[in-house]
Amino acid sequence: MPDVSKMKKPDVKLVLLGDMNVGKTSLLHRYMERKFKETVSTVGGAFFLKQWGPYNISIWDTAGREQFHGLGSMYCRGAAAVILTYDVTNWQSLAELEERFLSLTDTANHDCIFAIVGNKADLTDSKAQLSQASDKPSEDQTECEDERTEPQELPACPTPPASPTSLSGVMLHKQVAHEDAIALYGRILRYKGLDEKSSLPAEKMCFETSAKTGYNVDALFETLFDLVLPSILRKRNENQESPTVDLEDYRGVNRKKGKSACC
Ligand SMILES: Nc1nc2c(ncn2[C@@H]2O[C@H](COP(=O)(O)OP(=O)(O)OP(=O)(O)O)[C@@H](O)[C@H]2O)c(=O)[nH]1
Ligand SMILES: [Mg+2]
C-alpha cells in the first residue's frame, strides 16, 4: 500500500456525477482495479489517484443519493472534467443529469470538459455484453477517503442487485438512445455558454459503457486523461509549485469522532 502521507499532489481532478445506482463506483472499480465487484451506495465521496505518465490524476466518486446532493458542488470545485453518468435502461437517470446535477458543475473550471456516459450497456446491447474486459492491472492507484465530508452514521445499504434479467442475459429495453445523450450534450454546452463549433464534438464525448464487462471503460477514462493534459500543463506553467505536498499539513482538518465517510 503506497505511503499516502507523501502522496503526490494531484495535477488535475475529474469527477463522476449521476443518480444513485447508475454505476459510478462500479466504473471506477472496473477501470482502477480491473474488477466488477459488489458495491454499497456511496456515502459522501472518495477519490482514486491515477498516475498517467508523469501526471497524477484524481478521479472523484460521488454519492448519487438525494441526501448528499449538497456535497456535489464541493466535489466539482476546480474539476477539469465531469463525467455525467446515467443508466441506459433508466430514462429518469438521464433526466436527473440536467435537472439535478448540471448546476453542481458551476464550481468546476471554466474550461471544464463534459462527458456523458450511459452505463449498463451490457443490459441492452449484445456487443457490450460480450465485450471482454482487459484485466491488465492499473499501474498506480490509490483509493482515498474524503475526510472533509460529515461522517454519516448511515448503515451501508447494499444497492439492489442489477436487474434479475441481466442474470439470465436477456436484453432489457434500452430507454435512452445515443441521440438523447448527444442532444443533452448540446444543451449542456448552451447552458455553459459554449459554442458547439469550438467545443469537443458530442460524438466524441458521449459514451456507452459497461462496468460489468469493461466495454468502453478504458476508452472513456483515457480519452478524458488526454483531453485534460493541456489544463495540467497550463496550471503547472502558472503555478510552478512543487508537485508534492506533505499530507500532514492536511491532518489539521478537524476530523469528527466516529466512522469517517467513505465510499
Ligand atoms: N449489469 C450491470 N450492472 C451494473 C453496471 N454498473 C453497475 N451495475 C450495478 O448497479 C448497481 C449500482 O452500482 P454502483 O456502482 O454502486 O452505482 P453508483 O452510481 O455508484 O450508486 P451510488 O453510489 O448510490 O450513487 C450495483 O448492483 C452494480 O453491480 C453495469 O455496467 N452493468
Ligand atoms: Mg457509488
Side-chain angles (χ1 to χ4, degrees):
M1 182 69 181
D3 171 9
V4 289
S5 64
K6 280 282 177 226
M7 195 165 63
K8 288 226 181 316
K9 184 165 187 254
D11 293 298
V12 75
K13 175 180 179 179
L14 276 61
V15 181
L16 280 148
L17 290 180
D19 202 1
M20 71 179 288
N21 214 35
V22 297
K24 300 181 295 298
T25 303
S26 297
L27 282 167
L28 263 175
H29 286 166
R30 166 58 70 191
Y31 181 69
M32 299 300 287
E33 300 173 6
R34 321 312 286 171
K35 284 199 287 263
F36 180 66
K37 62 185 191 182
E38 268 304 298
T39 58
V40 289
S41 194
T42 302
V43 170
F47 71 95
F48 284 80
L49 204 58
K50 167 74 181 172
Q51 184 141 13
W52 185 245
Y55 306 112
N56 300 299
I57 299 179
S58 62
I59 314 167
W60 282 83
D61 183 20
T62 63
R65 271 187 286 171
E66 191 91 40
Q67 73 231 66
F68 298 110
H69 185 69
L71 294 175
S73 49
M74 175 183 79
Y75 288 118
C76 284
R77 189 172 309 289
V82 173
I83 302 171
L84 293 166
T85 315
Y86 65 93
D87 171 347
V88 294
T89 67
N90 175 349
W91 172 263
Q92 186 52 34
S93 69
L94 179 86
E96 290 285 293
L97 292 180
E98 197 162 8
E99 290 161 17
R100 190 152 64 96
F101 292 94
L102 181 53
S103 60
L104 298 179
T105 68
D106 292 349
T107 54
N109 288 352
H110 71 282
D111 58 351
C112 182
I113 288 166
F114 291 88
I116 300 186
V117 177
N119 190 43
K120 304 196 185 183
D122 56 286
L123 294 176
T124 64
D125 172 344
S126 50
K127 191 171 54 149
Q129 191 181 59
L130 299 173
S131 164
Q132 289 305 318
S134 66
D135 51 6
K136 69 175 173 28
S138 185
E139 307 84 59
D140 180 12
Q141 53 97 16
T142 320
E143 180 175 359
C144 312
E145 292 176 0
D146 174 20
E147 297 168 351
R148 284 169 301 168
T149 42
E150 293 296 308
Q152 308 286 336
E153 287 314 316
L154 288 170
C157 52
T159 42
S163 47
T165 16
S166 64
L167 301 180
S168 60
V170 171
M171 291 293 129
L172 279 179
H173 170 60
K174 182 175 184 179
Q175 289 198 3
V176 185
H178 197 51
E179 294 66 35
D180 299 317
I182 288 178
L184 172 58
Y185 183 79
R187 292 197 299 276
I188 289 173
L189 293 183
R190 283 192 292 281
Y191 171 85
K192 293 288 177 180
L194 298 169
D195 171 14
E196 285 201 42
K197 288 189 221 44
S198 56
S199 298
L200 292 160
E203 290 65 28
K204 180 171 180 162
M205 302 313 290
C206 293
F207 298 78
E208 289 188 348
T209 60
S210 168
K212 181 171 185 179
T213 65
Y215 176 69
N216 250 356
V217 173
D218 289 358
L220 163 65
F221 286 105
E222 295 172 2
T223 299
L224 290 178
F225 294 166
D226 288 339
L227 288 171
V228 297
L229 289 189
S231 72
I232 296 177
L233 299 175
R234 196 169 41 252
K235 198 171 112 183
R236 279 199 174 179
N237 291 338
E238 283 160 10
N239 296 353
Q240 302 299 330
E241 69 181 8
S242 94
T244 59
V245 285
D246 182 340
L247 278 192
E248 290 314 311
D249 303 342
Y250 285 41
R251 292 271 177 258
V253 177
N254 61 330
R255 294 176 57 150
K256 289 223 172 119
K257 293 272 168 286
K259 212 158 56 72
S260 67
C262 67
C263 102

